[in-house]
Amino acid sequence: MNSPLINVCDVSKTFVLHNIDGREVTALQNVSFSIAPGEHVALAGSSGAGKSTLLRLLYRTYTLTSGEINFCLSSGDWVDLGKLTDPEVVALRGREIGYVSQFLRAQPRRAVIDLVTRAGVSRGMTRNDAREQAAISLRRLNIAESLWEIHTSVLSGGEKQRVNIAAGLISPPRLLLLDEPVSALDPENRERAIDLISQLSEAGVAVLAVFHDLDAIARLATRIVVMSHGHLIDDGPVHSILPQLEPTDVHP
Amino acid sequence: MTMTKSPIITPQAAIRVRGLSKFFGPIDEGAIARTGPEFGTARDPLSGSIVAAWDVNFDVAAGEALGIVGESGSGKSTVLRCIAGDQPSSAGSVHLMCHDEGRTNVLDLSPAARRKLRIDQLSVVYQDPAEGLSLGVTAGGNIADPLTAAGWRNFEAIRVRARDLLDRTEVPLDRMDDIVRNFSGGMRQRVQIARALANNPPIVLLDEPTTGLDASIASGVLDLIRGLLEELDLAVVVVSHDFGVIEMLTQRCIVMQHGRVVEDALTDQLLEDPQHPYSQKLVTAARS
Amino acid sequence: MSSTVDEIAGPPQSVPFALLDEESKREIRRALLQAVCIPGFQVPFGSREMPVARGWGSGGLQISLAIVGVNDTIKVIDQGDDEGVNAVNLRRLITSSTGIEETSETDEATIVQSRHRIPEDAMTSDHILVLQVPVPEPLRGIERNMKELERMHAEGDYSKMWVSLYEDKVRNGVITQTTGYPCLVAQRYVMATTPIPRWDIPRLHQAEFLTLFGAGREKRVYAIPPFTDVEPLTFEDVPFEVEASNGAKCRLCGSEETFLVETPGSESRWSCSDTAWCRRKRTK
């Protein structure tokens, strides 16, 4: 196995609800695992197991309560994501670590092609290259060219999700976090999206993903990490873990 | 794995704010100790003085937007006005990379020198267009103001520049020679933004830029601002009580309550995992 | 015992030379010196009550009285006319309180006091031009707040003036301001040339003579020292133009190259505004 890109060590996350009598809700407890470049790790577990929490911790959308998340930068230096300053996280996002959620985040009314192109430019592509690549991705995701100059706000849910994938996967970062990226897609477009995502591993991108169906896991993942009630309960290759999973184990 | 210097290169600050404070009335250490979120007030019960802002710190880089969130009276607009020079500050420092390469604390400059900064280094877009515009002057004339202040003396060149800016901010060009008083609220705000950008300032401060506009109009203005942020590589500070605005425009923000910064956070982190009780209350209120 | 008016009034007092007491004249001269030192800057002074109403040339009159000496010769014009009622009154006041000579010929005069014009004849370093000013503040129509006006002058922040010129040009196609055209003096202060016409503005630029402006009601004096730059504010691509006569001639002397004014009612309606100049041309 390659040397890891990211080491998640003994990570816990507790939410303190100050306005509900300071109640503490522990979402993750002592989770450890690592991901190497080119690996595609699927997170499995029933609803509330802590899958999305883990993704958000790695993206620093959630603060870390304890543990370390050591990440190897492209420079070869290691950093603990939990200890970075906010400006450092901003600098890291996009180029080093990307996050594709099932929703298109708040975006200005911007043309589809423009949105995807900008994502590429923000990761260091030239404008021309980014636009070319954006066109390729959109075509592969079956976004009709007649929609390219239209504002994303008027697209259907499925179209938005595909645009989101195109933007997230263009000039992909070294670690990509996918949160149910194909959940809203019809079968045909789901195929196309999965096809595009499957290429990430070949490009050496490390992927940590939450899917809502076993089929996607079977086709994309190289490894499965199983979560339950905030704990990591299993971690292994797809062929050994997949047979033990029930459909409810991936239900969001 | 102990590191003295971060291996992550973060962009240089275009504006650096340290220890910025603003008092109304005489303040001593006791007054600081008797005010703030723990006491639920910015007003010192003994002296009656007000600690409108205390020890505010942040950096903003070019191409970045920082939000200041809080309820009215939290001190967020005070901070903005102190940076802009609209109000004298009581303590602290503000360094602008565009001025003397960041060596000068601009709070120490004379009022005249502060005002000069406003010509081409630091612009403000106010909630109330009447504060940033002359309502009795045409849209073009409002843009001619900062241009002539910067030394523009060619009428046609001023016209061309004003036209470009109004076009960029999506103000119909056939209204360029109408006085701003006859404009709708959203259109006034676009003119104000055009004016703020007239001399390509590297820093823009936005004070509740869409508050008071109808939702559909506000979203159009927000789109515009967001696009400008991305294209012009501006360093932006945006004050708003509206999380929609903060989410749309900023990557990082600070939360103020009773004159104090109670949390600084990545914007998505503040919305998803607010740490301070007050932040949690604000986010919950905004989301419900 | 009966008291008479004379007794109550006390012993008769002689009227001082040039009407004003020496202290007053000195105070005005000090203000004028400051004005000369800071070309275009409005210097406040303690405007006196004069035997003419404020707004009727009391500012110019105080300047003339403060600077006049026994060897001076005074010319006073109103609208370019030596025989205007106001001109006559002011001239009488000056000559009767000083005993100096009066003239209508510019080259004979040492002090020329005027309201609306600069005489057509070239003036030299032998002349002092005293202009009576109704509104000394060039930014008056643009900014009302006195503090802000002060600040704008102090910082040389004249962008609002430029905006008003811009607006004028946008609305009217030209800059319409005629009399009192704002000028930048010595690259520093914007000054009101009120109320002379545009025609006279170029004659202030690098002039050989000293010009003193007095506003009695507003209690301000200002000055243009000899050989000072006086530039009318205008855009690079919008040339400053003086009033065009459009081929009109003076109905009396036939002049085309002087500032002409319209006389209502008469057949050929134009005539020289400078009556002394016009008369001399006719007698030649």
Side-chain angles (χ1 to χ4, degrees):
Chain A
M1 182 171 143
N2 288 335
S3 60
L5 177 71
I6 184 164
N7 280 322
V8 177
C9 309
D10 208 21
V11 157
S12 300
K13 173 62 184 174
T14 300
F15 294 96
V16 182
L17 308 177
H18 292 288
N19 298 309
I20 311 176
D21 308 324
R23 186 188 304 167
E24 297 194 356
V25 179
T26 296
L28 285 180
Q29 254 182 313
N30 309 105
V31 172
S32 299
F33 68 103
S34 53
I35 312 172
E39 266 196 303
H40 189 126
V41 178
L43 284 171
S46 57
S47 179
K51 295 170 293 182
S52 287
T53 302
L54 190 53
L55 288 186
R56 287 175 188 172
L57 267 179
L58 265 51
Y59 200 57
R60 266 287 297 271
T61 296
Y62 287 166
T63 58
L64 194 61
T65 305
S66 66
E68 286 183 5
I69 304 174
N70 291 312
F71 180 81
C72 183
L73 300 172
S74 46
S75 63
D77 294 303
W78 285 85
V79 289
D80 180 354
L81 295 181
K83 291 195 176 66
L84 296 183
T85 63
D86 292 343
E88 286 174 330
V89 174
V90 171
L92 218 60
R93 285 179 172 180
R95 281 192 196 221
E96 298 267 3
I97 304 177
Y99 183 90
V100 179
S101 78
Q102 54 188 318
F103 307 111
L104 196 56
R105 272 202 62 200
Q107 289 285 354
R109 274 173 293 176
R110 179 151 291 153
V112 166
I113 183 84
D114 209 24
L115 189 94
V116 182
T117 304
R118 272 163 198 275
V121 171
S122 76
R123 287 179 211 130
M125 296 178 87
T126 68
R127 206 171 167 82
N128 283 345
D129 288 355
R131 193 170 169 99
E132 207 170 297
Q133 191 57 49
I136 293 170
S137 298
L138 288 172
R139 250 181 231 117
R140 289 187 57 178
L141 288 167
N142 204 23
I143 301 287
E145 227 162 300
S146 58
L147 297 177
W148 290 8
E149 298 297 337
I150 286 178
H151 287 160
T152 51
S153 55
V154 298
L155 299 180
S156 72
E159 285 161 346
K160 275 185 190 162
Q161 193 167 39
R162 279 176 285 149
V163 171
N164 203 17
I165 292 169
L169 268 55
I170 188 170
S171 181
R174 297 169 64 242
L175 172 65
L176 194 60
L177 308 165
L178 304 177
D179 196 353
E180 306 208 29
V182 296
S183 60
L185 302 184
D186 60 69
E188 188 206 335
N189 287 319
R190 187 171 162 279
E191 282 309 303
R192 288 169 174 268
I194 285 176
D195 183 43
L196 199 67
I197 293 168
S198 71
Q199 290 188 334
L200 289 169
S201 296
E202 290 160 35
V205 176
V207 179
L208 182 63
V210 175
F211 291 108
H212 73 298
D213 63 314
L214 290 173
D215 177 64
I217 293 176
R219 293 177 53 192
L220 289 168
T222 56
R223 231 173 88 207
I224 299 176
V225 165
V226 186
M227 311 279 301
S228 178
H229 301 291
H231 293 269
L232 189 156
I233 56 168
D234 212 346
D235 178 356
V238 177
H239 60 83
S240 63
I241 296 204
L242 192 61
Q244 309 166 27
L245 293 179
E246 299 288 330
T248 52
D249 285 335
V250 292
H251 198 276
Chain B
M1 243 178 52
T2 50
M3 286 169 295
T4 50
K5 191 167 174 284
S6 169
I8 300 170
I9 299 159
T10 49
Q12 193 184 31
I15 173 167
R16 172 173 302 142
V17 176
R18 290 289 178 274
L20 186 66
S21 304
K22 173 67 180 173
F23 314 131
F24 295 97
I27 293 289
D28 55 18
E29 279 175 25
I32 304 294
R34 288 187 294 267
T35 53
E38 314 86 280
F39 301 90
T41 181
R43 185 174 176 276
D44 175 22
L46 289 189
S47 64
S49 297
I50 291 166
V51 182
W54 170 250
D55 196 23
V56 176
N57 302 285
F58 60 80
D59 287 1
V60 189
E64 197 185 22
L66 175 109
I68 306 181
V69 227
E71 290 164 316
S72 54
S74 61
K76 58 191 195 305
S77 283
T78 299
V79 168
L80 196 92
R81 281 165 186 274
C82 286
I83 296 169
D86 290 340
Q87 267 185 13
S89 49
S90 304
S93 67
V94 173
H95 293 264
L96 311 179
M97 203 40 65
C98 56
H99 180 76
D100 190 29
E101 290 171 13
R103 285 188 291 259
T104 303
N105 175 9
V106 300
L107 300 180
D108 291 341
L109 296 176
S110 68
R114 292 295 297 277
R115 270 184 290 274
K116 282 230 165 64
L117 294 177
R118 294 283 290 271
I119 295 173
D120 59 358
Q121 316 224 322
L122 181 157
S123 285
V124 186
V125 174
Y126 296 95
Q127 176 183 348
D128 179 4
E131 211 174 330
L133 296 172
S134 305
L135 295 184
V137 167
T138 64
N142 268 291
I143 294 168
D145 189 350
L147 292 178
T148 56
W152 290 49
R153 292 292 180 264
N154 187 294
F155 181 78
E156 222 17 75
I158 291 170
R159 296 285 290 171
V160 168
R161 175 71 177 151
R163 209 174 286 132
D164 283 354
L165 285 161
L166 292 173
D167 192 33
R168 183 67 198 77
T169 52
E170 294 154 20
V171 176
L173 292 182
D174 59 5
R175 302 212 59 192
M176 175 167 164
D177 297 333
D178 286 356
I179 63 165
V180 174
R181 181 168 290 117
N182 297 339
F183 283 37
S184 67
M187 208 55 84
R188 287 180 188 186
Q189 213 52 319
R190 290 172 186 278
V191 175
Q192 206 191 164
I193 293 165
R195 179 193 154 104
L197 298 173
N199 290 313
N200 295 315
I203 300 164
V204 176
L205 311 179
L206 306 167
D207 191 2
E208 303 273 9
T210 57
T211 306
L213 299 179
D214 290 346
S216 61
I217 305 294
S219 77
V221 173
L222 270 187
D223 283 345
L224 170 68
I225 296 171
R226 166 78 180 254
L228 293 170
L229 292 192
E230 289 175 5
E231 274 164 44
L232 303 178
D233 217 27
L234 301 167
V236 170
V237 179
V238 51
V239 162
S240 184
H241 71 281
D242 181 344
F243 279 106
V245 172
I246 295 296
E247 186 177 16
M248 173 73 107
L249 298 181
T250 71
Q251 294 89 43
R252 295 187 294 121
C253 46
I254 61 177
V255 182
M256 290 191 70
Q257 184 192 23
H258 300 306
R260 310 297 165 96
V261 175
V262 295
E263 181 163 356
D264 57 313
L266 294 158
T267 301
D268 57 329
Q269 183 240 298
L270 179 73
L271 293 169
E272 303 284 337
D273 186 16
Q275 302 293 300
H276 191 273
Y278 177 67
S279 309
Q280 292 188 354
K281 203 178 110 207
L282 274 185
V283 171
T284 309
R287 292 282 138 124
S288 57
Chain C
M1 276 278 285
S2 68
S3 58
T4 65
V5 172
D6 281 348
E7 281 170 30
I8 295 167
Q13 289 172 324
S14 61
V15 175
F17 178 79
L19 215 59
L20 296 167
D21 61 88
E22 286 307 310
E23 279 308 315
S24 298
K25 282 187 282 195
R26 230 174 262 158
E27 199 261 353
I28 295 167
R29 286 197 293 262
R30 271 198 296 270
L32 289 171
L33 277 176
Q34 192 185 344
V36 168
C37 292
I38 318 171
F41 175 71
Q42 301 166 52
V43 181
F45 82 110
S47 186
R48 270 54 179 185
E49 290 299 333
M50 288 275 99
V52 296
R54 284 180 176 170
W56 290 89
S58 66
L61 180 63
Q62 287 177 76
I63 290 177
S64 292
L65 292 173
I67 63 172
V68 71
V70 287
N71 296 323
D72 277 310
T73 304
I74 185 90
K75 168 181 166 77
V76 181
I77 50 175
D78 185 4
Q79 301 279 12
D81 186 355
D82 296 78
E83 300 311 318
V85 177
N86 196 36
V88 171
N89 280 336
L90 292 171
R91 189 164 59 233
R92 272 194 204 143
L93 205 57
I94 296 167
T95 52
S96 68
S97 65
T98 58
I100 66 163
E101 295 292 313
E102 62 174 68
T103 180
S104 60
E105 292 303 319
T106 302
D107 58 354
E108 289 172 6
T110 56
I111 298 171
V112 177
Q113 182 173 335
S114 165
R115 184 145 74 116
H116 298 97
R117 285 301 316 278
I118 298 174
E120 296 288 351
D121 286 308
M123 289 164 59
T124 68
S125 54
D126 294 333
H127 295 97
I128 294 176
L129 176 65
V130 176
L131 284 172
Q132 305 158 207
V133 175
V135 181
E137 178 49 69
L139 307 169
R140 175 61 50 86
I142 294 162
E143 178 60 57
R144 292 204 195 111
N145 183 319
M146 291 289 288
K147 271 255 171 296
E148 178 66 2
L149 281 173
E150 233 168 73
R151 182 197 70 72
M152 287 160 80
H153 280 298
E155 294 176 14
D157 174 5
Y158 294 120
S159 59
K160 278 197 171 158
M161 174 62 90
W162 285 101
V163 170
S164 85
L165 295 173
Y166 168 94
E167 295 279 291
D168 195 2
K169 168 97 172 99
V170 164
R171 281 187 195 146
N172 305 304
V174 290
I175 297 173
T176 55
Q177 179 138 25
T178 50
T179 56
Y181 199 92
C183 292
L184 186 67
V185 181
Q187 283 92 39
R188 179 57 185 88
Y189 286 98
V190 168
M191 184 194 80
T193 53
T194 160
I196 61 172
R198 285 185 182 211
W199 181 273
D200 287 334
I201 298 285
R203 303 168 63 210
L204 290 172
H205 177 65
Q206 285 292 329
E208 284 182 41
F209 54 92
L210 167 67
T211 308
L212 302 172
F213 298 79
R217 190 179 45 205
E218 307 275 340
K219 303 186 174 70
R220 293 283 188 283
V221 294
Y222 51 104
I224 304 171
F227 303 105
T228 300
D229 285 342
V230 178
E231 304 157 75
L233 295 187
T234 190
F235 295 101
E236 291 160 357
D237 51 345
V238 182
F240 175 80
E241 284 168 352
V242 298
E243 292 82 352
S245 57
N246 290 328
K249 291 179 184 171
C250 173
R251 67 188 159 95
L252 301 173
C253 72
S255 167
E256 291 175 64
E257 62 271 14
T258 51
F259 184 67
L260 301 176
V261 287
E262 241 175 331
T263 324
S266 46
E267 204 160 294
S268 168
R269 298 161 53 209
W270 297 92
S271 60
C272 287
S273 132
D274 186 341
T275 53
W277 192 92
C278 187
R279 196 180 322 112
R280 180 150 36 78
K281 178 151 190 211
R282 278 177 278 146
T283 53
K284 259 181 196 165

